Amino acid sequence: MSTTTMPAPGRSVPGPGGPGGPAAAPRVVRQRRRRPGLIALSVALIAAGGLSGALLFTASGQRTAVLVVARDVPVGAALAEADLAPASLALDPAVKAVPAAQKSGMVGQRAAVALKAGALLSPGQVTSVSLVKAGEQVVGVALKPSQLPASRIAPGQKVLIVSTPDASQAAAAGKAGETPGAPKTLPATVVAVGAPAPATGVVVVDVAVPATDGPALAARVATGAVALILAPQDGS
């Protein structure tokens, strides 16, 4: 028969401190103090950040239908329907662009500057002013590669049509003892430039000249005794 021994009154029960030592005091867990103001501020900052991101995403997603240049167009050339294409772009309000709905109004107008394929079309890049002014005539000048500069000739450029006397005229002037003077030149404005002929490389350049000089220039061009040079630029 087993006997259970009870501790005598007044004695402490052995604790972690050893036999007969005092019992360990229980741990007191402190609860963190909640700060409602700080929590509210954090929630407000998170909400503001989310709203800013949403507004930025919405603004960047707003696109405008505008016109872009589909292929290179030289200065002075009339715009064709195939030269322009619609595009949907997200634009800054400061950017001036031609809406795609105005495409029909752009066809037929002339390029005020050289337009490059893929560029955004702005209103200042087109003009309705013709390169042929009142009192002028358009004369086609057929030129061999040796009769025009290697630099690209574009509509709107100022050029000089130079009369080049043929060999027989030069020989006759030499026999007569005449001193050849400076060749005659005629200022002109390039209206259009044709494609070089496959076999000969001859290029036909349409130029605008005063109506009083048109017939004489056409007669001179028929002989082939002409050349085209670029006119001096302003200030040169």
Side-chain angles (χ1 to χ4, degrees):
M1 185 175 183
S2 60
T3 305
T4 302
T5 306
M6 300 294 293
R11 288 190 177 182
S12 60
V13 178
R27 287 186 178 180
V28 178
V29 180
R30 290 187 178 181
Q31 293 185 351
R32 291 186 178 178
R33 235 169 132 192
R34 297 179 182 254
R35 298 182 180 178
L38 184 59
I39 295 175
L41 179 60
S42 301
V43 173
L45 291 175
I46 295 173
L51 180 59
S52 300
L55 291 176
L56 180 61
F57 177 79
T58 303
S60 62
Q62 290 180 351
R63 294 179 174 268
T64 306
V66 295
L67 289 177
V68 296
V69 182
R71 56 187 182 184
D72 291 349
V73 180
V75 59
L79 293 176
E81 187 173 357
D83 295 330
L84 304 174
S88 180
L89 302 175
L91 299 177
D92 188 276
V95 177
K96 304 300 181 183
V98 179
Q102 297 182 8
K103 181 178 180 179
S104 59
M106 294 294 105
V107 175
Q109 296 204 38
R110 297 186 178 275
V113 296
L115 303 178
K116 297 298 182 182
L120 183 68
L121 183 68
S122 64
Q125 294 177 329
V126 296
T127 179
S128 58
V129 178
S130 175
L131 295 177
V132 182
K133 300 177 182 178
E136 291 184 337
Q137 290 180 335
V138 177
V139 179
V141 183
L143 300 166
K144 299 177 182 179
S146 60
Q147 294 174 299
L148 75 167
S151 302
R152 183 180 178 183
I153 305 297
Q157 282 185 309
K158 301 298 182 180
V159 297
L160 295 176
I161 306 299
V162 183
S163 296
T164 57
D166 55 26
S168 61
Q169 290 178 337
K175 289 180 180 180
E178 297 177 357
T179 302
K184 294 181 179 181
T185 60
L186 178 62
T189 302
V190 177
V191 177
V193 181
T200 61
V202 172
V203 177
V204 177
V205 180
D206 289 347
V207 296
V209 295
T212 54
D213 297 321
L217 176 60
R220 194 66 181 170
V221 169
T223 66
V226 293
L228 182 148
I229 62 176
L230 296 177
Q233 297 181 358
D234 295 337
S236 61

